[in-house]
Amino acid sequence: MNTAVKSQKQLARLDSALASGTLADVASIVSDLSPGDVAHLISSSPPRYRHVLWSLLEAEQEAAVLNELPEDLRNSFLADMAPEDLAEIVGQLDDDDVADILQELPDAITGQVLSIMNEQDRARIETVLGYSDDTAGGLMSTDTITVRADLTLDVVLRYLRRHTEIPLNTDTLMVVNREDRYVGLLPVRTLLVADPGVSVREMMVTNRDPIPAHMDSSEVARLFERNDWISAPVVDDDNRLIGRITIDDIVDVIREEADHSLTSLGRLGEEDTFSPVLHTAPRRAVWLGINLLTAFIAASVINAFQGTIEKVVALAVLMPIVASMGGIAGTQTLTVLIRGMAMGHINERNQAWLVGREAMVGAINGIIWAVVVAIAASLWFDDITLGLVIAAAMVINLITAGVSGALLPLLLQRLGIDAALAGGVILTTVTDVVGFLSFLGLAALAYG
Amino acid sequence: MNTAVKSQKQLARLDSALASGTLADVASIVSDLSPGDVAHLISSSPPRYRHVLWSLLEAEQEAAVLNELPEDLRNSFLADMAPEDLAEIVGQLDDDDVADILQELPDAITGQVLSIMNEQDRARIETVLGYSDDTAGGLMSTDTITVRADLTLDVVLRYLRRHTEIPLNTDTLMVVNREDRYVGLLPVRTLLVADPGVSVREMMVTNRDPIPAHMDSSEVARLFERNDWISAPVVDDDNRLIGRITIDDIVDVIREEADHSLTSLGRLGEEDTFSPVLHTAPRRAVWLGINLLTAFIAASVINAFQGTIEKVVALAVLMPIVASMGGIAGTQTLTVLIRGMAMGHINERNQAWLVGREAMVGAINGIIWAVVVAIAASLWFDDITLGLVIAAAMVINLITAGVSGALLPLLLQRLGIDAALAGGVILTTVTDVVGFLSFLGLAALAYG
């Protein structure tokens, strides 16, 4: 039976076990699942089941499962643990994962956990803890195998045989000099096929430069993606090898970045799929409050034209159309920009081109739909002036949407503000205000 | 100098070379870049530079660069090539990448390219082409190293030495029986440290089940993510080993999936950051047209209350607030659902809980902001009735937003419709209609 089918069958059995409430059944199924599957099961369960599932885990499963859980869930389980249990669990994990966990805990507990560790482990963890977790240093593990360039491959092979285990995702050995400075990489695949008599120096790869520990994690992710790496060496400012980053952690970075763009566009903030009501409601309320404020700004524009609306009530009927079209067009542009920025596609060289393109697209689509809207509005209310007014407002608002949708994220980025997060709110305020103002303003002129 | 710094410096030099227009300079810089960097450079250049950059590549760079380009860009370069050049390029790529490329070409050209290949290559490519590119079979490469369980590790090591090269991302060798049926995996790390005298059977991993060729690619990606795999074996319905999937292709699947959620929420469809105006405008126009239709539906609701608006024109001022708050709240819920569905967190077992949670969150946030809005509206227009009406409409619309934002994607999924794509449009129509209807309807009752 294959993995997926098996795990699906087990999950189905689990469903019925959970439903009929026989905990012993659940425990026996959970003990057969892989750590990743258990973590997935816990994440996809409503809160009240989660602690039950966690309590069913065998001691040796805990560390591995913990490591696969999303950050906020992991922290909620960690918060309940004694420092001794924590120290035992972190002893089974990679340094970078340990550092992630410790960074989230109160300082006092981190100190306690570190003090229980042996000196060697502690020194390694402290190296990683010295870097922010959104840099290469925070992503790295110090668990590397290093060799010298003057050895022969045969000696390297015999050296490896003295290990009982090689770290996971070791596709390359790191070549360093006497001062531990990075020199190159020796792919394991080379080690397996090359003549054992030749030296590491002859076979090592030297055109792959190491990653500086301070590099931003999203930039590290882009390097991995572009070059299809499995692991990469990390060096400090003196080119000393201090660790390596592996693809499994990069996959998490990519997931988190993509998630951030999506939740920002959805006005959501960080949120677990199954957060309880009282956790979720306040976080979302903040965004709704900000939106309420901007909606009042738009409303005050309408308020200025009460007289015009009283005269031609059809304006009230049609005005949401202009605002809504601007909002959608602006969101389209903003999404292109957020996405391009996340992929590192946008730079000084192409910004002007992009703003120009968005203005053109806004103008073209504005004109196309303006014609349709003008005809529809003229026929509906038997009023050609109304058709002309809404058409003009539509073109104005869609060009505004294109230009501001492109300029805004570039401007916010330059100001150091998260464009994905703030962009949407500001943009829809702009398109609402310009939409109502152009439509009602032109109507005020036309109807006197 | 490290990778990123170097490539950034080169890109900066390239900027000035591109600006001053000395093609020879550009060519010499491009020839030093890695394939991934060249692909990145081409993707982040406006269209008119792209073909110039491509024409500067040396023949041996083309295949590798092509492989790193996004699909639509790759196809635009391929479209201009002669079948002989194509055959030569695809000869240098992995099967799964070749299959991707051939799938996008007209059948006649695919046939020509296949006919130029040698028989062995053709048979391998045809295996991959036999599967849809969104399944495990379409993602796999047939380039695997297989061994038998009864060999000793020493024999395996000597067998490997007869290769001149081992496929990239080979962290495990595949163990098969006489009928090529999958038996287990032999990690390369085991091979390096274990006693060479023991048999493969003793050291192989048997608890990792192979991936069936028909498994959906997004499910394959989740298995990789959950289990931190580098590569995984793929089998046909008879458990015969037909290939393996590697993490680099999984990273692309993850990126594409995340991108799909983002662009769907942004009403964008698939679009390259630098698509030319005439390519971009029509694609976005479709979404704007759909939105226009739904905006007219909402307008017709307002139209039914012309008399009420004429009586109390403040209703026209305030009504967009109710609709807008419903739209934001609904989008929040929809985003949680789209995200949860993409991560495979949502199932029969937790759907009801989720809909209930969203209804509660909608009610709580509805009440909180209804109070604020009621006070603001009462004071602004000196009319307590107006405040009560907008408060009631706000609560109704936010609960509607929560419930429909949660039910809609579940319903669409069951109907086989892409929830991310269709969800947003339907949802904002619902929140607009319910927002206007509840606000103006209650007002009509209140003001008689």
Side-chain angles (χ1 to χ4, degrees), chain A residues 3-4 8 15 37 161 166 189 194 209 215 225-226 255 259 267 271 275 284 313 339 349 357-358, chain B residues 3-4 15 37 161 166 189 194 209 215 219 225-226 259 271 275 284 306 332 339 349 357-358:
Chain A
T3 313
Q8 269 161 12
D15 273 354
D37 283 339
R161 261 186 213 297
I166 292 177
R189 36 204 290 273
D209 298 306
M215 185 185 276
E225 268 190 275
R226 274 191 236 158
R255 211 18 130 192
D259 201 44
R267 313 283 163 84
E271 190 176 305
S275 294
R284 296 205 205 156
V313 77
R339 199 169 148 245
R349 194 158 40 93
R357 201 248 334 244
E358 291 304 319
Chain B
T3 314
D15 273 354
D37 283 339
R161 260 185 213 298
I166 292 178
R189 31 201 297 269
D209 298 306
M215 185 186 275
E219 195 164 345
E225 268 190 276
R226 273 190 237 160
D259 202 43
E271 189 176 307
S275 294
R284 295 204 205 156
Q306 281 207 24
Q332 291 178 330
R339 199 168 148 248
R349 194 159 39 93
R357 201 250 333 245
E358 292 303 319

Tab-separated table of all heavy atoms in Angstrom, chain A residues 3-4 8 15 37 161 166 189 194 209 215 225-226 255 259 267 271 275 284 313 339 349 357-358, chain B residues 3-4 15 37 161 166 189 194 209 215 219 225-226 259 271 275 284 306 332 339 349 357-358:
chain	number	residue	atom	x	y	z
A	3	THR	N	2.111	5.304	0.448
A	3	THR	CA	2.090	6.277	1.542
A	3	THR	C	0.759	7.007	1.668
A	3	THR	O	0.135	7.031	2.721
A	3	THR	CB	3.141	7.375	1.289
A	3	THR	OG1	4.338	6.749	0.917
A	3	THR	CG2	3.349	8.210	2.524
A	4	ALA	N	0.358	7.613	0.567
A	4	ALA	CA	-0.796	8.502	0.637
A	4	ALA	C	-2.045	7.698	0.919
A	4	ALA	O	-2.860	8.063	1.770
A	4	ALA	CB	-0.950	9.257	-0.669
A	8	GLN	N	-4.150	8.100	4.145
A	8	GLN	CA	-5.565	8.461	4.027
A	8	GLN	C	-6.455	7.434	4.724
A	8	GLN	O	-7.412	7.787	5.401
A	8	GLN	CB	-5.975	8.596	2.566
A	8	GLN	CG	-5.801	10.009	2.049
A	8	GLN	CD	-5.757	10.065	0.546
A	8	GLN	OE1	-6.065	9.088	-0.120
A	8	GLN	NE2	-5.380	11.201	0.002
A	15	ASP	N	-10.792	9.135	11.887
A	15	ASP	CA	-12.053	9.869	11.937
A	15	ASP	C	-13.088	9.094	12.727
A	15	ASP	O	-13.743	9.637	13.612
A	15	ASP	CB	-12.599	10.089	10.519
A	15	ASP	CG	-12.031	11.343	9.909
A	15	ASP	OD1	-11.329	12.080	10.626
A	15	ASP	OD2	-12.287	11.589	8.728
A	37	ASP	N	2.878	13.373	9.345
A	37	ASP	CA	1.448	13.082	9.287
A	37	ASP	C	0.762	13.425	10.604
A	37	ASP	O	-0.351	13.941	10.617
A	37	ASP	CB	1.212	11.603	8.944
A	37	ASP	CG	1.437	11.322	7.464
A	37	ASP	OD1	1.374	12.276	6.666
A	37	ASP	OD2	1.676	10.157	7.110
A	161	ARG	N	33.413	6.908	7.172
A	161	ARG	CA	33.053	5.610	7.758
A	161	ARG	C	33.186	5.589	9.271
A	161	ARG	O	32.601	4.741	9.931
A	161	ARG	CB	33.934	4.512	7.160
A	161	ARG	CG	33.217	3.780	6.084
A	161	ARG	CD	33.868	2.618	5.494
A	161	ARG	NE	33.440	2.589	4.101
A	161	ARG	CZ	32.175	2.419	3.733
A	161	ARG	NH1	31.243	2.206	4.630
A	161	ARG	NH2	31.848	2.458	2.461
A	166	ILE	N	25.476	10.334	9.099
A	166	ILE	CA	25.793	11.578	8.411
A	166	ILE	C	24.546	12.450	8.478
A	166	ILE	O	23.441	11.932	8.347
A	166	ILE	CB	26.181	11.262	6.945
A	166	ILE	CG1	27.511	10.507	6.943
A	166	ILE	CG2	26.270	12.522	6.108
A	166	ILE	CD1	27.954	10.087	5.572
A	189	ARG	N	28.135	12.995	-4.648
A	189	ARG	CA	28.087	12.239	-5.903
A	189	ARG	C	29.454	12.136	-6.557
A	189	ARG	O	29.747	11.145	-7.241
A	189	ARG	CB	27.052	12.779	-6.886
A	189	ARG	CG	26.870	14.270	-6.917
A	189	ARG	CD	25.504	14.676	-7.450
A	189	ARG	NE	25.343	14.432	-8.866
A	189	ARG	CZ	25.692	15.300	-9.827
A	189	ARG	NH1	26.285	16.449	-9.524
A	189	ARG	NH2	25.480	15.006	-11.084
A	194	ALA	N	34.290	9.300	-8.378
A	194	ALA	CA	35.627	9.712	-8.810
A	194	ALA	C	36.694	8.741	-8.313
A	194	ALA	O	36.477	7.964	-7.378
A	194	ALA	CB	35.913	11.120	-8.297
A	209	ASP	N	29.730	30.192	-4.338
A	209	ASP	CA	30.137	31.002	-3.207
A	209	ASP	C	29.232	30.759	-2.012
A	209	ASP	O	28.059	30.471	-2.174
A	209	ASP	CB	30.122	32.465	-3.621
A	209	ASP	CG	31.113	32.701	-4.731
A	209	ASP	OD1	32.288	32.340	-4.544
A	209	ASP	OD2	30.716	33.210	-5.795
A	215	MET	N	22.663	37.426	5.355
A	215	MET	CA	21.757	37.563	4.204
A	215	MET	C	20.314	37.299	4.642
A	215	MET	O	20.028	36.406	5.425
A	215	MET	CB	22.152	36.585	3.096
A	215	MET	CG	21.329	36.777	1.828
A	215	MET	SD	21.706	35.534	0.565
A	215	MET	CE	23.125	36.268	-0.191
A	225	GLU	N	16.178	28.493	-4.953
A	225	GLU	CA	15.228	28.219	-6.033
A	225	GLU	C	15.879	28.333	-7.401
A	225	GLU	O	15.673	27.511	-8.284
A	225	GLU	CB	14.078	29.228	-5.975
A	225	GLU	CG	12.915	28.776	-5.165
A	225	GLU	CD	11.748	29.716	-5.358
A	225	GLU	OE1	11.714	30.745	-4.649
A	225	GLU	OE2	10.890	29.457	-6.205
A	226	ARG	N	16.669	29.396	-7.578
A	226	ARG	CA	17.275	29.639	-8.876
A	226	ARG	C	18.315	28.595	-9.221
A	226	ARG	O	18.539	28.300	-10.379
A	226	ARG	CB	17.992	30.998	-8.860
A	226	ARG	CG	17.090	32.146	-9.175
A	226	ARG	CD	17.964	33.361	-9.397
A	226	ARG	NE	17.566	34.418	-8.524
A	226	ARG	CZ	18.340	35.431	-8.173
A	226	ARG	NH1	19.594	35.486	-8.623
A	226	ARG	NH2	17.895	36.364	-7.385
A	255	ARG	N	7.040	28.809	1.677
A	255	ARG	CA	5.654	28.686	2.103
A	255	ARG	C	5.206	29.904	2.919
A	255	ARG	O	4.139	30.472	2.695
A	255	ARG	CB	5.572	27.447	2.948
A	255	ARG	CG	4.392	26.604	3.044
A	255	ARG	CD	3.312	26.620	2.109
A	255	ARG	NE	2.995	25.271	1.670
A	255	ARG	CZ	2.207	25.008	0.658
A	255	ARG	NH1	1.657	25.967	-0.045
A	255	ARG	NH2	1.950	23.793	0.308
A	259	ASP	N	2.479	32.674	1.926
A	259	ASP	CA	1.368	32.800	2.843
A	259	ASP	C	1.186	34.254	3.282
A	259	ASP	O	0.071	34.752	3.395
A	259	ASP	CB	1.653	31.919	4.061
A	259	ASP	CG	0.398	31.578	4.815
A	259	ASP	OD1	-0.592	31.242	4.152
A	259	ASP	OD2	0.406	31.676	6.042
A	267	ARG	N	-6.466	40.699	3.930
A	267	ARG	CA	-6.637	41.485	5.167
A	267	ARG	C	-6.792	40.566	6.379
A	267	ARG	O	-7.770	40.644	7.118
A	267	ARG	CB	-7.901	42.376	5.104
A	267	ARG	CG	-8.087	43.154	3.880
A	267	ARG	CD	-7.193	44.363	3.850
A	267	ARG	NE	-7.118	44.852	2.489
A	267	ARG	CZ	-8.018	45.669	1.919
A	267	ARG	NH1	-9.018	46.126	2.601
A	267	ARG	NH2	-7.867	46.051	0.678
A	271	GLU	N	-2.788	33.868	10.851
A	271	GLU	CA	-3.887	33.174	11.495
A	271	GLU	C	-3.861	31.708	11.135
A	271	GLU	O	-3.668	31.333	9.995
A	271	GLU	CB	-5.207	33.806	11.042
A	271	GLU	CG	-6.386	33.320	11.819
A	271	GLU	CD	-7.663	34.037	11.413
A	271	GLU	OE1	-7.706	35.278	11.452
A	271	GLU	OE2	-8.619	33.344	11.054
A	275	SER	N	-7.876	28.562	14.511
A	275	SER	CA	-7.828	29.396	15.709
A	275	SER	C	-9.219	29.505	16.309
A	275	SER	O	-10.203	29.621	15.572
A	275	SER	CB	-7.372	30.816	15.358
A	275	SER	OG	-6.056	30.817	14.924
A	284	ARG	N	-8.992	40.052	13.345
A	284	ARG	CA	-9.674	40.527	12.140
A	284	ARG	C	-10.354	41.868	12.384
A	284	ARG	O	-10.499	42.671	11.468
A	284	ARG	CB	-10.718	39.505	11.711
A	284	ARG	CG	-10.065	38.207	11.321
A	284	ARG	CD	-10.943	37.459	10.380
A	284	ARG	NE	-10.664	36.043	10.440
A	284	ARG	CZ	-11.528	35.103	10.106
A	284	ARG	NH1	-12.736	35.442	9.702
A	284	ARG	NH2	-11.191	33.849	10.155
A	313	VAL	N	-31.389	60.908	-8.338
A	313	VAL	CA	-31.176	59.798	-7.405
A	313	VAL	C	-30.512	58.593	-8.092
A	313	VAL	O	-29.907	57.746	-7.439
A	313	VAL	CB	-32.498	59.429	-6.693
A	313	VAL	CG1	-33.390	58.629	-7.606
A	313	VAL	CG2	-32.229	58.712	-5.382
A	339	ARG	N	3.506	40.375	-6.024
A	339	ARG	CA	4.048	39.112	-6.507
A	339	ARG	C	5.432	39.309	-7.110
A	339	ARG	O	6.374	38.586	-6.810
A	339	ARG	CB	3.085	38.637	-7.582
A	339	ARG	CG	3.153	37.223	-7.917
A	339	ARG	CD	1.929	36.960	-8.771
A	339	ARG	NE	2.225	35.932	-9.720
A	339	ARG	CZ	2.252	36.097	-11.021
A	339	ARG	NH1	2.013	37.283	-11.556
A	339	ARG	NH2	2.529	35.091	-11.807
A	349	ARG	N	15.508	49.489	-12.539
A	349	ARG	CA	15.578	49.476	-13.984
A	349	ARG	C	14.207	49.321	-14.645
A	349	ARG	O	13.991	49.792	-15.768
A	349	ARG	CB	16.471	48.280	-14.368
A	349	ARG	CG	16.993	48.185	-15.736
A	349	ARG	CD	18.248	47.275	-15.756
A	349	ARG	NE	18.131	46.105	-14.888
A	349	ARG	CZ	17.695	44.916	-15.288
A	349	ARG	NH1	17.324	44.725	-16.527
A	349	ARG	NH2	17.640	43.902	-14.447
A	357	ARG	N	3.062	50.692	-17.958
A	357	ARG	CA	2.237	49.612	-18.463
A	357	ARG	C	0.893	49.592	-17.734
A	357	ARG	O	-0.176	49.454	-18.353
A	357	ARG	CB	2.939	48.258	-18.237
A	357	ARG	CG	2.457	47.158	-19.132
A	357	ARG	CD	1.677	46.014	-18.494
A	357	ARG	NE	1.891	45.719	-17.119
A	357	ARG	CZ	2.404	44.585	-16.663
A	357	ARG	NH1	2.795	43.662	-17.517
A	357	ARG	NH2	2.524	44.367	-15.383
A	358	GLU	N	0.925	49.761	-16.420
A	358	GLU	CA	-0.315	49.715	-15.649
A	358	GLU	C	-1.249	50.872	-16.011
A	358	GLU	O	-2.466	50.702	-16.051
A	358	GLU	CB	-0.010	49.707	-14.151
A	358	GLU	CG	0.642	48.416	-13.669
A	358	GLU	CD	-0.191	47.191	-13.996
A	358	GLU	OE1	-1.424	47.233	-13.849
A	358	GLU	OE2	0.398	46.173	-14.420
B	3	THR	N	28.144	34.634	-3.446
B	3	THR	CA	27.219	34.499	-4.575
B	3	THR	C	26.330	35.713	-4.792
B	3	THR	O	26.283	36.292	-5.871
B	3	THR	CB	26.252	33.315	-4.332
B	3	THR	OG1	27.032	32.226	-3.884
B	3	THR	CG2	25.505	32.971	-5.585
B	4	ALA	N	25.642	36.053	-3.708
B	4	ALA	CA	24.617	37.087	-3.884
B	4	ALA	C	25.272	38.424	-4.186
B	4	ALA	O	24.842	39.157	-5.073
B	4	ALA	CB	23.777	37.199	-2.631
B	15	ASP	N	23.222	46.548	-15.605
B	15	ASP	CA	22.335	47.697	-15.743
B	15	ASP	C	23.004	48.803	-16.548
B	15	ASP	O	22.418	49.343	-17.478
B	15	ASP	CB	21.974	48.257	-14.364
B	15	ASP	CG	20.781	47.550	-13.778
B	15	ASP	OD1	20.198	46.724	-14.499
B	15	ASP	OD2	20.446	47.820	-12.619
B	37	ASP	N	20.629	32.599	-12.578
B	37	ASP	CA	20.736	34.057	-12.579
B	37	ASP	C	20.366	34.650	-13.935
B	37	ASP	O	19.720	35.699	-14.003
B	37	ASP	CB	22.161	34.493	-12.193
B	37	ASP	CG	22.401	34.367	-10.689
B	37	ASP	OD1	21.403	34.338	-9.945
B	37	ASP	OD2	23.564	34.291	-10.279
B	161	ARG	N	30.760	3.256	-8.983
B	161	ARG	CA	32.016	3.757	-9.531
B	161	ARG	C	32.103	3.582	-11.041
B	161	ARG	O	32.884	4.249	-11.698
B	161	ARG	CB	33.205	3.049	-8.871
B	161	ARG	CG	33.802	3.888	-7.810
B	161	ARG	CD	35.015	3.394	-7.157
B	161	ARG	NE	34.944	3.861	-5.779
B	161	ARG	CZ	34.920	5.145	-5.443
B	161	ARG	NH1	35.030	6.081	-6.351
B	161	ARG	NH2	34.810	5.506	-4.193
B	166	ILE	N	26.429	10.627	-11.345
B	166	ILE	CA	25.212	10.174	-10.665
B	166	ILE	C	24.191	11.297	-10.805
B	166	ILE	O	24.553	12.472	-10.703
B	166	ILE	CB	25.531	9.884	-9.183
B	166	ILE	CG1	26.442	8.661	-9.114
B	166	ILE	CG2	24.274	9.674	-8.377
B	166	ILE	CD1	26.863	8.297	-7.719
B	189	ARG	N	23.578	8.122	2.413
B	189	ARG	CA	24.284	8.306	3.689
B	189	ARG	C	24.535	6.982	4.406
B	189	ARG	O	25.523	6.831	5.126
B	189	ARG	CB	23.564	9.293	4.625
B	189	ARG	CG	22.092	9.342	4.511
B	189	ARG	CD	21.461	10.617	5.037
B	189	ARG	NE	21.657	10.840	6.446
B	189	ARG	CZ	20.813	10.412	7.395
B	189	ARG	NH1	19.760	9.679	7.103
B	189	ARG	NH2	21.038	10.710	8.650
B	194	ALA	N	27.904	2.610	6.498
B	194	ALA	CA	27.649	1.242	6.967
B	194	ALA	C	28.771	0.291	6.559
B	194	ALA	O	29.536	0.564	5.637
B	194	ALA	CB	26.309	0.756	6.421
B	209	ASP	N	6.764	4.319	1.588
B	209	ASP	CA	6.058	3.778	0.437
B	209	ASP	C	6.229	4.666	-0.775
B	209	ASP	O	6.362	5.874	-0.648
B	209	ASP	CB	4.598	3.621	0.807
B	209	ASP	CG	4.443	2.648	1.951
B	209	ASP	OD1	4.943	1.526	1.819
B	209	ASP	OD2	3.868	3.024	2.990
B	215	MET	N	-0.936	10.070	-8.633
B	215	MET	CA	-1.228	10.987	-7.527
B	215	MET	C	-1.119	12.441	-8.005
B	215	MET	O	-0.245	12.808	-8.771
B	215	MET	CB	-0.262	10.757	-6.363
B	215	MET	CG	-0.601	11.597	-5.141
B	215	MET	SD	0.645	11.440	-3.833
B	215	MET	CE	0.063	9.975	-3.028
B	219	GLU	N	-0.731	16.930	-3.953
B	219	GLU	CA	-0.637	15.970	-2.852
B	219	GLU	C	0.797	15.471	-2.696
B	219	GLU	O	1.294	15.291	-1.575
B	219	GLU	CB	-1.586	14.798	-3.109
B	219	GLU	CG	-1.802	13.985	-1.870
B	219	GLU	CD	-3.010	13.072	-1.989
B	219	GLU	OE1	-3.834	13.291	-2.908
B	219	GLU	OE2	-3.130	12.161	-1.177
B	225	GLU	N	6.707	18.010	1.712
B	225	GLU	CA	6.814	19.028	2.754
B	225	GLU	C	6.732	18.419	4.144
B	225	GLU	O	7.496	18.761	5.035
B	225	GLU	CB	5.670	20.033	2.612
B	225	GLU	CG	6.012	21.212	1.766
B	225	GLU	CD	4.930	22.266	1.890
B	225	GLU	OE1	3.918	22.148	1.153
B	225	GLU	OE2	5.063	23.183	2.693
B	226	ARG	N	5.762	17.511	4.301
B	226	ARG	CA	5.547	16.919	5.613
B	226	ARG	C	6.709	16.042	6.039
B	226	ARG	O	6.983	15.900	7.214
B	226	ARG	CB	4.304	16.040	5.577
B	226	ARG	CG	3.051	16.784	5.863
B	226	ARG	CD	1.950	15.759	6.040
B	226	ARG	NE	0.887	16.025	5.109
B	226	ARG	CZ	-0.007	15.114	4.753
B	226	ARG	NH1	0.070	13.879	5.201
B	226	ARG	NH2	-0.964	15.443	3.923
B	259	ASP	N	1.096	30.805	-5.844
B	259	ASP	CA	0.860	31.854	-6.806
B	259	ASP	C	-0.585	31.834	-7.305
B	259	ASP	O	-1.213	32.875	-7.474
B	259	ASP	CB	1.813	31.637	-7.981
B	259	ASP	CG	2.032	32.898	-8.751
B	259	ASP	OD1	2.218	33.947	-8.123
B	259	ASP	OD2	2.008	32.844	-9.995
B	271	GLU	N	-0.379	35.547	-15.016
B	271	GLU	CA	0.191	36.707	-15.684
B	271	GLU	C	1.641	36.879	-15.282
B	271	GLU	O	2.004	36.752	-14.119
B	271	GLU	CB	-0.613	37.952	-15.296
B	271	GLU	CG	-0.235	39.159	-16.094
B	271	GLU	CD	-1.109	40.347	-15.755
B	271	GLU	OE1	-2.358	40.214	-15.816
B	271	GLU	OE2	-0.568	41.398	-15.433
B	275	SER	N	4.412	41.125	-18.696
B	275	SER	CA	3.626	40.936	-19.919
B	275	SER	C	3.373	42.283	-20.576
B	275	SER	O	3.102	43.262	-19.881
B	275	SER	CB	2.269	40.317	-19.598
B	275	SER	OG	2.398	39.022	-19.114
B	284	ARG	N	-7.173	40.875	-17.979
B	284	ARG	CA	-7.776	41.518	-16.816
B	284	ARG	C	-9.176	42.017	-17.125
B	284	ARG	O	-10.032	42.081	-16.251
B	284	ARG	CB	-6.912	42.696	-16.385
B	284	ARG	CG	-5.568	42.232	-15.915
B	284	ARG	CD	-4.979	43.229	-14.987
B	284	ARG	NE	-3.535	43.125	-14.986
B	284	ARG	CZ	-2.728	44.107	-14.659
B	284	ARG	NH1	-3.217	45.276	-14.319
B	284	ARG	NH2	-1.429	43.926	-14.666
B	306	GLN	N	-35.130	53.727	-4.598
B	306	GLN	CA	-34.976	55.136	-4.985
B	306	GLN	C	-35.814	56.075	-4.143
B	306	GLN	O	-35.353	57.124	-3.702
B	306	GLN	CB	-35.360	55.317	-6.460
B	306	GLN	CG	-34.276	54.893	-7.427
B	306	GLN	CD	-34.367	55.655	-8.751
B	306	GLN	OE1	-34.917	56.759	-8.793
B	306	GLN	NE2	-33.819	55.073	-9.796
B	332	GLN	N	-11.825	38.019	4.250
B	332	GLN	CA	-11.024	37.415	5.323
B	332	GLN	C	-11.368	35.932	5.474
B	332	GLN	O	-10.488	35.073	5.490
B	332	GLN	CB	-11.274	38.144	6.649
B	332	GLN	CG	-10.706	39.566	6.682
B	332	GLN	CD	-11.002	40.282	7.990
B	332	GLN	OE1	-12.015	40.027	8.636
B	332	GLN	NE2	-10.120	41.191	8.380
B	339	ARG	N	-6.729	29.114	1.857
B	339	ARG	CA	-5.439	28.745	2.406
B	339	ARG	C	-5.498	27.365	3.064
B	339	ARG	O	-4.648	26.507	2.825
B	339	ARG	CB	-5.121	29.797	3.468
B	339	ARG	CG	-3.729	29.914	3.859
B	339	ARG	CD	-3.632	31.195	4.660
B	339	ARG	NE	-2.624	31.067	5.652
B	339	ARG	CZ	-2.849	31.034	6.944
B	339	ARG	NH1	-4.087	31.121	7.426
B	339	ARG	NH2	-1.856	30.911	7.776
B	349	ARG	N	-14.525	16.302	8.513
B	349	ARG	CA	-14.565	16.282	9.960
B	349	ARG	C	-14.606	17.681	10.574
B	349	ARG	O	-15.134	17.893	11.645
B	349	ARG	CB	-13.301	15.548	10.415
B	349	ARG	CG	-13.207	15.088	11.797
B	349	ARG	CD	-12.155	13.960	11.895
B	349	ARG	NE	-10.974	14.181	11.072
B	349	ARG	CZ	-9.852	14.759	11.482
B	349	ARG	NH1	-9.747	15.193	12.708
B	349	ARG	NH2	-8.824	14.897	10.672
B	357	ARG	N	-17.488	28.668	13.400
B	357	ARG	CA	-16.515	29.646	13.899
B	357	ARG	C	-16.653	30.955	13.126
B	357	ARG	O	-16.669	32.039	13.698
B	357	ARG	CB	-15.097	29.093	13.742
B	357	ARG	CG	-14.082	29.763	14.643
B	357	ARG	CD	-13.047	30.662	13.992
B	357	ARG	NE	-12.669	30.422	12.636
B	357	ARG	CZ	-11.467	30.042	12.249
B	357	ARG	NH1	-10.548	29.817	13.149
B	357	ARG	NH2	-11.187	29.895	10.971
B	358	GLU	N	-16.758	30.859	11.800
B	358	GLU	CA	-16.849	32.069	10.979
B	358	GLU	C	-18.125	32.853	11.265
B	358	GLU	O	-18.113	34.086	11.258
B	358	GLU	CB	-16.740	31.720	9.499
B	358	GLU	CG	-15.359	31.215	9.088
B	358	GLU	CD	-14.255	32.210	9.427
B	358	GLU	OE1	-14.455	33.424	9.237
B	358	GLU	OE2	-13.188	31.776	9.907
